[in-house]
Structures are given as C-alpha cells and as structure tokens.
C-alpha cells in the first residue's frame, strides 16, 4: 500500500504534453529510478519508456512526454526495471493546465472595460477568463472572472493608470481535480483607453505637471516681489532725488497759447506783472515812505505832515487801492486826480488832497 502513497505532481499542458514529477531525493535516496507510461487500456498494454527525464542533482525526478489519450497509466521502477516502486492510473483530462489566452483585446467605454480573447479549440465550457487589475494607489490586485472568453468591469477612474493581466482557469471539480490556471498574459498598462508602456509614464507626467506649476508660481512670486521693490525704490528715489519739473507743464501758456514763442510770451507776462506789481510792492512802498520821512526829517515838516495826513485819511476811508496808487505815482510837478482825490506831486514828495 505504500506505493500508492507516493506523492506525484501531474500536469497536462493543454492536452498536448504530460509532465509527471516526484521527490526523487526524498522518496528514493539510494537509487536512480526509471519511469514508463501507457495510454492503452485492457490487458494488452504497451509500456513506453520516458523520452525526456527531468533531473534533480543528476537523479531522475520527473518525465515529460506527449499526451496521447484520455486514460493514462504510469509506473516507477528501480534502476534496472526489475521492481515496481510506484504505479497509478488516471484520467489525463482532469489535470489540464490551459495555455495563455491569445489575442487579448481591451475595449473601453467611459468607466467600463471589456476584455476578450480567442476561444480555444476544445473544452471551452470548462474554461473561465480571469481579469486582474490595480492602480498605482492599490496594494493588491482586484479580480473579476467570467465565462470564456470575455469579461467586463466598470468603475474605473479615467484619471488613473491601471495595470491589467488576464489568464484562463479550469473549473474545479467539474472539469479538473486540480485547480490549474494558465500562466498570466503579459501585463499591460492603460489610462482612459490609452495604452502606455508603464504607469511610471503617468507618474512622470504628473511630476512634470507639478514641476511646471511650481516653477510658474515661483515666477509669479518673483515678479510680485520685484514690483514691490520697484515701488519702494521709486518712493525712495523721489524722497532722495526729487524729479525736475518739466517746463512744458510749468509754462503751459507758453506752449499752448504762444506755441513756444518765448518773446511773445515774455512780453505778455511782463505786462501782466506790471499790472499786478502794486499789490505785491505795497509793503516796500510803505517802508520807502517811512525811510524818506526819516531822511527828510530836517526838511519841510509841513509837506511831510500833509503826506502823512493824506495816508491816514486814506486808511480811515478803507480805500487801500487808492493809497497804493498814490504810493506808486511817479514824483513830478503835476496834479493828478483819482477816485475823488487830488494828488500833488513834486520831485521829492507827493501829497493826496
């Protein structure tokens, strides 16, 4: 009974090749065993030697041969084949490991992805198509299984990059006694229906976007700082070095009224200044009158008193303009009249009557 207890691993690669392996160093540490098989049934079995041995430290640890029927019988014997160490009869169809899915296509519609592949030539009902995916924010794979040979899933974020992989699985226990699946199809990377070389491209694009925005904000900040410094510099410049006024704005009438004709402008300005001069020379006139009074103190007191009396009378009558005109009158031996007053003028003095 110990012969049936030996553990072996049996794989039927898509019903094309069979692989039988055993733990050679553990089960048969003292000898190198031999292997034979047959797909024939009944009493007239034809045993075939193993065409290709799998080795473990130069010891036979397995055999690889062509699948040639649904029923398989195997036998492990000692090195010369005189003693049978292990035998087993099995259904090869219950140990099928399918091939990878072929011609895998991805169809994107908004947030839904549909994955399909070509149908195998046989045993399609025993197969399931498994889809696994994850984004760069997921630690584990998300899985979705459907009948061969199409599977769909929804809820994908169009802003994320996803890794996809697919494989075919055999149904257990209806079709297989062992849960065998095909190897994974090559992993692909998608983002919003666009095939990428890797999700690192998405990370790089986001990094480039972050770098661009950072540089843009830095430039804006520098421009703002420069504007603030420029405003402060202009204020400092005005306080330290006041701006020289533009004569165009100071002498507006020179350019607007006289078209830059300086002689015409100065003549008109002089005439205007002459007309307004008595209003500004009134204090000087008074001082000059007082000075003349001191210098001519020893002269004719009567004339001086009449002059002072005339100014006092003008002040009492609040007619300052008449007094100013009296002061500005040139000294001569003539008599002038203004606003009801008579003014007597000599070479040295003038009297308002």
């Amino acid at each position: 009974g110990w012969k049936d207890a030996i553990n072996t691993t049996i794989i039927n690669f898509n019903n094309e090749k069979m692989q039988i392996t055993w733990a050679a160093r553990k089960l048969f540490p003292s000898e190198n065993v031999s292997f034979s098989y047959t797909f024939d049934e009944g009493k007239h079995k034809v045993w075939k030697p193993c065409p290709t041995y799998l080795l473990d430290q130069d010891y036979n640890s397995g055999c690889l041969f062509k699948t040639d029927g649904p029923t398989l019988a195997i036998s492990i014997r000692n090195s010369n084949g005189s003693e049978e160490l292990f035998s087993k009869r099995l259904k090869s169809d219950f140990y099928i490991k399918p091939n990878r899915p072929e011609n895998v296509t991805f169809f994107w519609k908004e947030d839904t992805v549909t994955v399909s592949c070509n149908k195998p030539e046989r045993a399609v009902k025993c197969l399931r198509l498994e889809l696994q995916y994850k984004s760069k924010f997921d630690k584990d794979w998300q899985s979705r299984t459907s009948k061969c040979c199409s599977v769909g899933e929804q809820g994908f974020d169009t802003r994320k990059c996803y890794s996809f992989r697919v494989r075919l699985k055999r149904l257990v226990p209806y079709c297989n006694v062992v849960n065998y699946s095909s190897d994974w199809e090559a992993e692909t990377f998608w983002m919003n229906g666009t095939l990428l070389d890797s999700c690192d491209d998405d990370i790089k694009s986001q990094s480039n976007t972050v770098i661009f925005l950072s540089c843009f904000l830095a430039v804006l900040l520098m421009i703002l700082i420069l504007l603030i410094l420029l405003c402060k510099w202009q204020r400092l410049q005005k306080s330290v070095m006041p701006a020289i006024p533009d004569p165009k704005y100071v002498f507006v009438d020179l350019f607007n009224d006289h078209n830059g004709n300086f002689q015409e402008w100065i003549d008109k300005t002089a005439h205007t200044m002459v007309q307004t001069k008595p209003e500004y020379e009134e204090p000087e006139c008074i001082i000059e009158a007082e000075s003349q009074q001191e210098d001519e103190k020893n002269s004719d007191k009567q004339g001086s008193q009449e002059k002072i009396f005339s100014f006092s009378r003008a002040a009492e009558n609040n007619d300052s303009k008449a007094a100013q005109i009296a002061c500005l009158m040139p000294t001569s031996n003539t008599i002038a009249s203004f606003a009801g007053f008579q003014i007597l003028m000599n070479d040295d003095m003038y009297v308002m009557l």
Side-chain angles (χ1 to χ4, degrees):
W2 65 271
K3 295 181 181 180
D4 297 332
I6 294 177
N7 290 327
T8 58
T9 302
I10 304 169
I11 303 175
N12 183 357
F13 291 102
N14 200 40
N15 217 16
E16 298 172 356
K17 288 184 177 182
M18 295 291 300
Q19 176 180 293
I20 313 295
T21 58
W22 56 86
R25 301 296 298 167
K26 180 180 180 181
L27 297 175
F28 314 108
S30 60
E31 60 180 323
N32 199 2
V33 299
S34 62
F35 179 86
S36 59
Y37 69 97
T38 182
F39 286 95
D40 298 330
E41 296 183 10
K43 295 180 180 180
H44 304 285
K45 295 179 181 179
V46 179
W47 292 91
K48 298 178 182 180
C50 177
T52 304
Y53 278 104
L54 304 177
L55 301 179
D56 180 13
Q57 298 180 3
D58 296 331
Y59 281 83
N60 296 334
S61 62
C63 181
L64 186 63
F65 54 94
K66 182 180 179 181
T67 303
D68 196 15
T71 303
L72 173 66
I74 61 175
S75 177
I76 299 176
R77 295 176 177 270
N78 58 6
S79 58
N80 57 16
S82 60
E83 181 183 1
E84 187 178 69
L85 302 177
F86 174 75
S87 65
K88 188 173 184 178
R89 185 173 178 271
L90 53 96
K91 289 288 187 180
S92 61
D93 292 344
F94 287 169
Y95 296 88
I96 293 178
K97 179 178 180 179
N99 289 339
R100 292 178 179 178
E102 297 179 355
N103 193 21
V104 178
T105 58
F106 289 79
F107 176 74
W108 286 76
K109 186 177 181 181
E110 297 179 353
D111 66 339
T112 303
V113 179
T114 303
V115 183
S116 60
C117 66
N118 290 345
K119 289 185 179 182
E121 296 180 357
R122 49 189 172 180
V124 177
K125 293 182 178 180
C126 289
L127 295 175
R128 293 293 181 267
L129 182 63
E130 181 182 8
L131 168 67
Q132 286 191 348
Y133 60 91
K134 68 175 180 179
S135 70
K136 59 180 178 291
F137 302 103
D138 299 326
K139 294 182 179 179
D140 301 323
W141 289 93
Q142 307 296 319
S143 183
R144 174 76 172 174
T145 304
S146 182
K147 292 181 179 182
C148 186
C149 292
S150 179
V151 59
E153 183 66 12
Q154 59 183 6
F156 290 96
D157 192 341
T158 56
R159 297 168 297 179
K160 294 181 181 179
C161 177
Y162 290 91
S163 303
F164 291 92
R165 62 183 185 180
V166 293
R167 66 180 178 180
L168 290 172
K169 297 179 64 175
R170 288 275 293 186
L171 288 176
V172 176
Y174 305 103
C175 299
N176 264 32
V177 295
V178 181
N179 188 11
Y180 282 149
S181 301
S182 70
D183 294 334
W184 291 105
E185 179 63 13
E187 188 174 347
T188 57
F189 307 92
W190 295 81
M191 180 177 179
N192 194 21
T194 302
L195 180 63
L196 304 176
D197 293 334
S198 69
C199 283
D200 294 336
D201 297 340
D202 178 44
I203 297 174
K204 289 180 181 179
S205 62
Q206 291 184 354
S207 301
N208 293 335
T209 303
V210 172
I211 292 173
F212 175 76
L213 291 177
S214 300
C215 294
F216 182 71
L217 292 176
V219 170
L220 288 181
L221 182 61
M222 291 179 63
I223 293 174
L224 180 62
I225 294 174
L226 289 176
L227 289 176
I228 295 175
L229 293 177
L230 181 61
C231 293
K232 290 185 176 295
W233 169 251
Q234 289 180 349
R235 291 181 181 179
L236 179 62
Q237 190 177 20
K238 287 181 180 180
S239 61
V240 175
M241 296 179 292
I244 299 174
D246 191 348
K248 180 178 180 180
Y249 300 101
V250 177
F251 305 101
V252 178
D253 52 348
L254 172 62
F255 296 96
N256 293 342
D257 300 339
H258 304 283
N259 296 324
N261 190 334
F262 182 79
Q263 186 62 42
E264 180 181 345
W265 174 77
I266 197 65
D267 292 340
K268 183 177 180 180
T269 304
H271 179 69
T272 304
M273 291 178 63
V274 169
Q275 291 180 353
T276 58
K277 186 174 180 181
E279 296 181 2
Y280 296 97
E281 292 184 353
E282 179 181 355
E284 296 180 0
C285 177
I286 295 173
I287 295 173
E288 183 180 359
E290 292 176 356
S291 177
Q292 288 178 0
Q293 291 176 4
E294 292 177 358
D295 294 338
E296 298 175 359
K297 189 174 183 180
N298 297 324
S299 63
D300 191 358
K301 295 182 179 180
Q302 181 67 31
S304 176
Q305 291 176 357
E306 291 179 358
K307 181 179 180 180
I308 294 173
F309 175 76
S310 64
F311 277 107
S312 300
R313 185 177 180 182
E316 290 177 358
N317 294 329
N318 295 324
D319 196 345
S320 59
K321 188 172 183 180
Q324 291 175 2
I325 294 175
C327 290
L328 293 174
M329 281 292 187
T331 57
S332 61
N333 294 324
T334 59
I335 297 176
S337 63
F338 180 77
F341 294 94
Q342 290 184 352
I343 302 172
L344 176 64
M345 293 170 284
N346 292 323
D347 293 336
D348 297 332
M349 58 187 300
Y350 44 87
V351 179
M352 182 178 292
L353 303 177

